[in-house]
């Protein structure tokens, strides 16, 4: 299932938390060879994890991490503004309607529908909270995965070569994309809404117009 | 409505004291047509500042009873950055239910939306609209107003910080050369498609640059952002503008 968890709520899900930070170490250090910090617990954490970001996490049936990504508003500190300004043409992105999405991570055994489910989760955030755009940082192989799940970003540029190549891209929300991603994720729309509500609280029953 | 928002933001920019903010938040209530609009700044030492349209008796009651400690809206906004629909919050505890009864009695309304805001050095504030209506009507209201309210909330907080003095943030007005270029071409009358072509970026990228520039300028929309950038001299359009006076030998013939 999809969970939407702020960093200060992660302790409610210790197994999910620990496996997420370990899967990040596995993806970014072991498989991609990025120069990321991994602590004594085997967790890959960086300074942006300390800013109380919002994680969208795919939780597997056994309570472990299947995939995740991390969101921060661009009104505060962000990785794109602090590290990838040159890929943004020097434009410092700053708007409460634009969120940053980083550390897109999949467990090495996760099937592609997990990636689709995560993109669906991102779309639900946009739809519910009035977010217009995401600006994302991702590794090069994600470009193909994003295309496959029907949610291709506009790629602004990339730095580095091969496995260590890092790209910056943009997404916005469209109802068409949502339908496509829902299909790839193999999730019913109502189920996605139910997951969203179990994290953010329930709204009264009513006929949805959108 | 776009015009009303522009005028509102123009006046917000001119505001120089708390009374101005109080006048503005009153007008905003009329503009978005809700029962209440409230700005609530909670400082790290627990002091509360704010302005808004709640009845003074309710505000007094809130402070006296130290409701900030049990108010689910404060709990639900603190450490969060998404806008919070009050209906999503947990009102099940005994103290929360008693608080809600009291709030309803004072006419706060059965619906609310609060936008959490973080300023420099951990400054925390909330911008709230509340109303009396059905869930369907409220969902339609949020659909129509949420984005504008998020942006207004942040502009309002910037102004409050500025008025508070010492903690004034440096105006994030500095536009990068690319943003300046984009606004300049828009000011010259080119469409988005043409501008993105001239800058050799996608239209999507252009939209993101414009959205970011608009926020830095405190503008209501793209047209307003262009007008403000022009008025403040951040962009200049000279003789190269289409439709401007001037001539060049052979130009007329070339156009034919």
């Amino acid at each position: 299932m999809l969970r939407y968890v702020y960093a200060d709520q992660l302790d409610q899900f210790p197994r999910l938390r620990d496996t997420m930070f370990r899967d990040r170490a596995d993806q970014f250090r072991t498989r991609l060879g990025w120069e990321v910090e991994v602590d004594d617990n085997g967790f890959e954490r960086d300074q942006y994890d300390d800013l109380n970001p919002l994680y969208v996490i795919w939780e597997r049936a056994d309570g472990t991490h299947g995939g995740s990504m991390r969101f921060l508003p661009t009104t505060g500190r962000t990785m794109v503004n602090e590290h990838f300004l040159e890929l943004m043409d020097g434009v410092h992105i700053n708007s409460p309607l634009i969120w940053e999405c980083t550390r897109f991570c999949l467990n090495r055994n996760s099937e592609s529908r997990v990636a689709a489910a995560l993109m669906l989760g991102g779309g639900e955030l946009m739809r519910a909270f009035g977010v217009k755009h995401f600006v994302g940082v991702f590794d090069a192989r994600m470009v193909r995965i994003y295309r496959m799940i029907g949610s291709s970003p506009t790629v602004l540029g990339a730095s580095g070569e091969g496995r260590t190549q890092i790209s910056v891209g943009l997404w916005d929300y469209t109802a068409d994309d949502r339908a496509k991603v829902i299909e790839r994720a193999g999730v019913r729309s109502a189920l996605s809404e139910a997951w969203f509500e179990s994290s953010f609280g329930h709204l009264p029953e009513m006929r949805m117009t959108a | 409505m776009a015009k009303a928002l522009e005028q509102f933001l123009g006046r917000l920019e001119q505001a120089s004291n708390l009374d101005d903010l109080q006048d503005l938040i009153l007008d905003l209530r009329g503009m978005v047509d809700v029962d209440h609009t409230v700005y609530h700044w909670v400082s790290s030492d627990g002091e509360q500042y704010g302005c808004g349209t709640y009845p003074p008796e309710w505000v007094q009651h809130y402070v006296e009873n130290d409701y900030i400690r049990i108010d689910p809206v404060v709990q639900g906004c603190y450490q969060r950055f998404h806008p919070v629909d009050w209906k999503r919050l947990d009102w099940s505890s005994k103290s929360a239910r008693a608080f809600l009864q009291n709030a309803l009695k004072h006419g706060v309304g059965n619906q609310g939306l609060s936008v959490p805001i973080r300023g420099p050095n951990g400054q925390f504030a909330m911008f709230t609209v509340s109303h009396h209506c059905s869930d369907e009507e409220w969902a339609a209201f949020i659909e129509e107003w949420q984005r504008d309210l998020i942006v207004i909330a942040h502009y309002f907080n910037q102004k409050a910080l500025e008025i508070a003095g010492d903690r004034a943030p440096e105006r994030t007005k500095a536009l990068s050369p690319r943003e300046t270029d984009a606004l300049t071409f828009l000011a010259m009358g080119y469409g988005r498609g043409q501008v993105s072509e001239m800058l050799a970026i996608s239209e999507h990228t252009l939209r993101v640059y414009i959205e970011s520039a608009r926020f830095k300028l405190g503008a209501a929309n793209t047209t307003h952002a262009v007008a403000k950038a022009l008025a403040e001299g951040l962009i200049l359009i000279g003789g190269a503008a289409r439709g401007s006076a001037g001539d060049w030998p052979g130009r007329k013939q070339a156009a034919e």
Side-chain angles (χ1 to χ4, degrees):
Chain A
M1 71 175 290
L2 274 181
R3 283 195 195 280
Y4 304 79
V5 189
Y6 277 92
D8 65 359
Q9 299 168 315
L10 276 175
D11 290 348
Q12 297 168 31
F13 312 97
R15 193 171 162 82
L16 190 61
R17 175 198 62 202
D18 294 356
T19 49
M20 174 172 81
F21 289 121
R22 287 204 183 102
D23 280 350
R24 274 174 42 176
D26 182 49
Q27 169 163 331
F28 296 111
R29 190 175 69 174
T30 310
R31 285 182 283 154
L32 293 171
W34 289 10
E35 285 173 18
V36 292
E37 300 268 332
V38 176
D39 67 17
D40 295 343
N41 296 312
F43 297 166
E44 185 275 304
R45 290 178 50 96
D46 69 8
Q47 50 178 320
Y48 302 98
D49 291 302
D50 296 334
L51 302 176
N52 203 29
L54 172 62
Y55 302 95
V56 176
I57 311 176
W58 178 262
E59 182 184 306
R60 296 194 290 201
D62 63 358
T64 61
H65 171 260
S68 57
M69 50 195 188
R70 178 179 72 181
F71 291 94
L72 279 168
T74 61
T75 44
R77 289 185 49 209
T78 60
M79 197 180 236
V80 274
N81 286 334
E82 292 177 354
H83 296 281
F84 297 100
L85 210 53
E86 78 282 5
L87 294 182
M88 303 293 303
D89 279 345
V91 176
H92 192 281
I93 298 289
N94 179 215
S95 164
L97 303 181
I98 306 173
W99 289 7
E100 174 183 79
C101 169
T102 57
R103 287 296 192 263
F104 193 110
C105 170
L106 292 171
N107 174 281
R108 59 165 73 202
N109 299 315
S110 283
E111 58 276 53
S112 74
R113 69 179 213 100
V114 171
L118 291 173
M119 293 312 289
L120 173 61
E124 301 293 47
L125 292 176
M126 286 184 152
R127 195 162 71 123
F129 299 143
V131 182
K132 272 190 175 173
H133 308 277
F134 290 149
V135 51
V137 177
F138 45 89
D139 60 275
R141 90 206 153 110
M142 287 309 302
V143 176
R144 188 180 53 82
I145 294 176
Y146 290 140
R147 190 165 52 234
M148 205 168 69
I149 59 185
S151 179
S152 280
T154 299
V155 178
L156 293 182
S159 72
E161 298 282 329
R163 278 194 315 159
T164 58
Q165 190 175 59
I166 299 174
S167 301
V168 172
L170 305 169
W171 285 266
D172 52 12
Y173 177 77
T174 71
D176 281 358
D177 284 349
R178 181 172 191 270
K180 248 188 280 176
V181 170
I182 277 197
E183 198 191 311
R184 303 282 175 175
V187 169
R188 283 175 300 112
S189 179
L191 182 59
S192 175
E193 278 164 23
W195 287 336
F196 191 87
E197 297 212 336
S198 82
S199 288
F200 288 110
H202 296 271
L203 284 178
E205 289 282 330
M206 65 178 107
R207 216 156 41 82
M208 296 304 276
T209 46
Chain B
M1 193 42 76
K3 206 76 209 161
L5 184 58
E6 267 179 49
Q7 281 169 0
F8 176 81
L9 295 178
R11 286 177 45 220
L12 179 57
E13 192 162 356
Q14 300 302 318
S16 59
N17 55 50
L18 272 176
D19 290 341
D20 291 346
L21 289 185
Q22 177 65 19
D23 289 346
L24 279 159
I25 211 158
L26 257 165
D27 287 359
L28 182 68
R29 166 168 77 170
M31 201 169 96
V32 301
D33 198 15
V34 289
D35 290 350
H36 293 292
T37 40
V38 179
Y39 170 74
H40 188 180
W41 169 348
V42 185
S43 83
S44 52
D45 50 14
E47 292 231 45
Q48 304 176 59
Y49 308 89
C51 58
T53 64
Y54 283 164
E57 305 79 55
W58 170 242
V59 175
Q60 187 56 27
H61 197 62
Y62 190 100
V63 173
E64 268 172 16
N65 287 280
D66 212 10
Y67 275 155
I68 195 162
R69 298 192 184 282
I70 51 164
D71 184 349
V73 177
V74 177
Q75 320 262 327
C77 284
Y78 193 68
Q79 302 292 5
R80 301 290 171 258
F81 52 80
H82 64 275
V84 173
D85 186 322
W86 292 2
K87 281 267 152 72
R88 290 193 190 277
L89 297 169
D90 182 5
W91 298 90
S92 60
S93 78
K94 204 174 157 210
S95 58
R97 273 179 296 152
F99 167 73
L100 178 63
Q101 285 315 312
N102 240 319
L104 286 168
K105 207 171 69 193
H106 282 91
V108 166
N110 64 327
Q111 307 283 0
L113 179 77
S114 293
V115 179
I117 312 153
R118 282 279 167 185
N121 308 320
Q123 182 249 358
F124 169 67
M126 291 171 296
F127 196 88
T128 293
V129 292
S130 71
H131 198 49
H132 251 102
C133 67
S134 72
D135 294 333
E136 282 80 6
E137 285 169 294
W138 190 244
F141 171 84
I142 287 185
E143 178 78 26
E144 183 183 354
W145 280 103
Q146 178 163 255
R147 277 184 180 162
D148 282 340
L149 289 170
I150 291 170
V151 170
I152 290 170
H154 284 80
Y155 293 160
F156 211 92
N157 190 58
Q158 278 177 5
K159 182 49 85 172
L161 283 165
E162 214 177 291
I163 289 172
D166 54 319
R167 281 186 265 196
E170 73 271 38
R171 269 302 248 161
T172 42
K173 220 174 238 181
L175 299 177
S176 72
R178 291 301 257 181
E179 288 167 301
T180 309
D181 288 347
L183 292 178
T184 305
F185 289 137
L186 289 171
M188 288 162 74
Y190 291 105
R192 285 175 189 232
Q194 291 166 299
V195 175
S196 57
E197 223 170 87
M198 287 189 279
L199 296 175
I201 55 177
S202 70
E203 272 196 66
H204 188 183
T205 308
L206 180 68
R207 287 206 308 280
V208 170
Y209 289 180
I210 294 172
E211 184 61 48
S212 184
R214 148 167 107 110
F215 183 65
K216 291 174 192 166
L217 289 164
N221 50 45
T222 307
T223 317
H224 191 209
V226 169
K228 289 196 77 169
L230 274 172
E232 292 174 24
L234 296 170
I235 60 172
L236 297 168
I237 51 173
R242 289 182 306 167
S244 63
D247 202 0
W248 193 269
R251 179 180 146 182
K252 280 206 181 70
Q253 290 85 327
E256 275 160 13

